[in-house]
Amino acid sequence: MYDAYFKYLRNFSPKPLTDDEKALIMKNFTPFRLRKRQYSLQAGDICKKFAFIVKGAMRMYTIDDKGIEHVVRLGIEDWWMGDRESFVNLSPSRYHIDALEHCDLLYLTLEGANELQEKVPAFCQMKSILDERNQMANHRRLTSSISSTAKMRYTEFVECYPELADRFPQHIIASYLGINKDTLSRVKRQHNLK
Amino acid sequence: MYDAYFKYLRNFSPKPLTDDEKALIMKNFTPFRLRKRQYSLQAGDICKKFAFIVKGAMRMYTIDDKGIEHVVRLGIEDWWMGDRESFVNLSPSRYHIDALEHCDLLYLTLEGANELQEKVPAFCQMKSILDERNQMANHRRLTSSISSTAKMRYTEFVECYPELADRFPQHIIASYLGINKDTLSRVKRQHNLK
DNA sequence: AAAGAGCGTAGACAAATGTCTACGAATGTT
DNA sequence: AACATTCGTAGACATTTGTCTACGCTCTTT
């Protein structure tokens, strides 16, 4: 389990981890197996653990007044999943997180994250790089959501995240893109004809 | 000019600045007066300076293939304005930034930012808090853009940023919200009737 | 005062997207 | 094998949003 994370860390810092660092990581990451359809977080609860996805597929979403689900984030292997706002501020989350496939996770608490950030440079490095990337990705998603049609948004999504496009069911992707599942179906049909 | 920024910093760190710190800030921030309709950044250029707005109102936007402007960010007193991706990566920006009113700015270069981050704890503190906040604000904006109608988006916007709502012309706000200016006009009309 | 630019509003129409219902294929469950 | 569930597709229709044109108001500039 932990090897997946050690390997992942090498993407951010080429320097090999010391044994002490590995021990710290193993101490602070708790392996967890989340079964399909099981919740990792329920809206109203505080997000006390951030998940590193070793294997599987997850989503984070809200449910609005009309009972409609809106997918806010998707994640598969090597992605992180959690409600950052709730995690950092210890505030109740507005989001649900659940598994769309059986998942192998490594759970990290806030204290764990803080300790690793202090004592494991590679982790700190990872965090700051991810923060930057995340910020840019969100920004791009926002721009495209504001200025593009449904068809363009879907095309961009497939180009940008091909792994996600065939991993998640279509209605989930539609929700992620902020469009109706029927609309997405239509868009794909018209797209194929050209 | 600098006093505005010193005062602003106190929101992030109560500890008063030392004279050395003040000197460092004054060394790295360049005052600049940007007149109405003047550009601070043109798409294609590298964003070499980040602006702290002492006074005035600015916007950042793209122009798409059809020549339509899409406002990505708005800013007034005590806000920052710049294309972070371009600024950090020294990559050409896709955005324009200009002034909607006469502006008094404090310009900061990347080197300046790095020096301040190293040597002025209050600045570093400010940056990390702003990063967090910015991330959350973007996330909220994204969620609302994906899951809300035009009317709801406008209502949320007014609640969240009343200062912006009456400071910027309506067609700019419409663009910021990702809706047509005519649609926003309609939405407001219907809103007032209820 | 005159002319022009910027801005908000309005209405008619077009296009995009949402809603609803139904169906069939694939999959999982018993 | 029988059954229920999930998922994608399709078409008819409603609603929302965009497009275009026109008008009037305000402000600036001349």
Side-chain angles (χ1 to χ4, degrees):
Chain A
M1 273 287 261
Y2 295 107
D3 285 340
Y5 185 67
F6 295 149
K7 189 175 164 194
Y8 171 79
L9 264 191
R10 265 180 254 139
N11 296 324
F12 299 94
S13 160
K15 216 171 86 180
L17 295 165
T18 66
D19 286 347
D20 281 357
E21 288 176 331
K22 284 189 181 179
L24 267 174
I25 288 172
M26 292 173 73
K27 175 189 141 202
N28 282 305
F29 275 109
T30 311
F32 191 84
R33 168 164 274 263
L34 192 70
R35 278 169 313 169
K36 194 170 172 175
R37 260 174 264 283
Q38 210 176 355
Y39 284 101
S40 171
L41 173 68
Q42 299 243 26
D45 292 352
I46 292 170
C47 182
K48 288 189 185 139
K49 47 214 188 318
F50 230 83
F52 177 75
I53 307 177
V54 175
K55 191 168 179 315
M58 307 175 79
R59 64 168 173 168
M60 173 162 131
Y61 62 100
T62 46
I63 300 184
D64 69 15
D65 335 326
K66 296 175 190 160
I68 299 169
E69 298 176 356
H70 301 280
V71 175
V72 169
R73 191 175 304 174
L74 297 173
I76 56 174
E77 286 79 23
D78 280 3
W79 291 45
W80 289 89
M81 183 59 76
D83 175 5
R84 182 166 178 149
E85 184 165 352
S86 170
F87 187 72
V88 171
N89 299 343
L90 298 176
S91 57
S93 176
R94 291 168 299 159
Y95 303 107
H96 299 271
I97 296 177
D98 66 7
L100 289 155
E101 304 174 2
H102 294 300
C103 291
D104 292 330
L105 306 178
L106 289 171
Y107 271 140
L108 185 61
T109 62
L110 184 57
E111 298 75 39
N114 288 335
E115 182 172 12
L116 290 176
Q117 188 160 0
E118 260 182 60
K119 299 181 184 167
V120 180
F123 181 87
C124 190
Q125 180 78 354
M126 174 205 80
K127 183 170 176 302
S128 83
I129 291 178
L130 285 187
D131 277 0
E132 277 295 344
R133 274 196 209 161
N134 196 21
Q135 196 130 311
M136 290 170 196
N138 274 340
H139 198 263
R140 242 177 277 128
R141 192 175 164 201
L142 182 62
T143 309
S144 116
S145 142
I146 284 171
S147 56
S148 300
T149 63
K151 187 184 295 189
M152 288 174 65
R153 289 223 293 289
Y154 179 68
T155 309
E156 284 172 22
F157 173 77
V158 173
E159 276 170 14
C160 197
Y161 305 106
E163 339 83 83
L164 299 185
D166 34 60
R167 186 79 171 264
F168 288 92
Q170 191 169 303
H171 68 275
I172 302 277
I173 291 174
S175 174
Y176 176 86
L177 294 172
I179 61 185
N180 195 284
K181 71 191 169 69
D182 302 310
T183 303
L184 180 54
S185 180
R186 230 174 336 205
V187 161
K188 282 178 73 171
R189 194 191 334 159
Q190 293 168 355
H191 188 77
N192 288 333
L193 295 182
K194 284 169 193 168
Chain B
M1 273 288 262
Y2 294 109
D3 284 340
Y5 184 67
F6 295 150
K7 189 174 165 194
Y8 171 79
L9 264 191
R10 265 180 255 139
N11 296 326
F12 299 95
S13 159
K15 217 171 82 181
L17 295 165
T18 66
D19 287 347
D20 281 357
E21 289 175 331
K22 284 189 180 177
L24 267 174
I25 287 172
M26 292 174 73
K27 175 186 142 203
N28 283 304
F29 275 107
T30 311
F32 191 85
R33 168 164 271 264
L34 191 70
R35 277 170 313 169
K36 193 171 174 175
R37 260 172 263 285
Q38 209 177 354
Y39 284 101
S40 172
L41 173 69
Q42 300 244 24
D45 293 351
I46 292 170
C47 182
K48 288 188 184 141
K49 47 214 187 316
F50 230 81
F52 177 75
I53 307 177
V54 175
K55 189 167 181 321
M58 307 174 79
R59 64 167 174 171
M60 172 163 132
Y61 61 99
T62 46
I63 300 183
D64 70 15
D65 335 326
K66 296 174 191 160
I68 299 168
E69 297 176 356
H70 300 280
V71 175
V72 168
R73 192 175 305 174
L74 296 174
I76 56 174
E77 286 79 23
D78 280 3
W79 293 46
W80 289 89
M81 184 58 78
D83 175 4
R84 182 168 177 149
E85 184 164 353
S86 169
F87 187 72
V88 171
N89 299 344
L90 299 176
S91 57
S93 176
R94 292 169 298 159
Y95 302 106
H96 299 271
I97 296 177
D98 66 8
L100 289 155
E101 303 174 1
H102 295 300
C103 291
D104 292 331
L105 306 179
L106 288 171
Y107 272 140
L108 185 61
T109 62
L110 186 56
E111 298 75 40
N114 288 336
E115 182 172 14
L116 290 175
Q117 188 159 2
E118 260 181 60
K119 299 181 185 167
V120 180
F123 181 88
C124 190
Q125 181 76 354
M126 174 206 80
K127 183 170 175 300
S128 82
I129 291 178
L130 284 187
D131 277 359
E132 277 294 343
R133 273 196 211 161
N134 195 21
Q135 197 131 310
M136 289 170 197
N138 275 339
H139 197 264
R140 243 178 277 129
R141 190 173 164 201
L142 183 61
T143 308
S144 120
S145 140
I146 284 173
S147 55
S148 299
T149 63
K151 187 184 299 191
M152 287 174 65
R153 287 223 292 288
Y154 178 68
T155 310
E156 284 172 22
F157 173 77
V158 173
E159 276 170 15
C160 198
Y161 305 106
E163 338 84 83
L164 300 185
D166 34 60
R167 186 78 171 265
F168 289 92
Q170 190 169 301
H171 68 275
I172 301 277
I173 291 174
S175 174
Y176 177 86
L177 294 173
I179 61 184
N180 194 284
K181 71 190 170 66
D182 303 308
T183 303
L184 180 54
S185 180
R186 229 175 336 206
V187 160
K188 281 178 73 171
R189 193 190 337 160
Q190 293 168 357
H191 187 77
N192 287 334
L193 295 182
K194 286 169 192 167

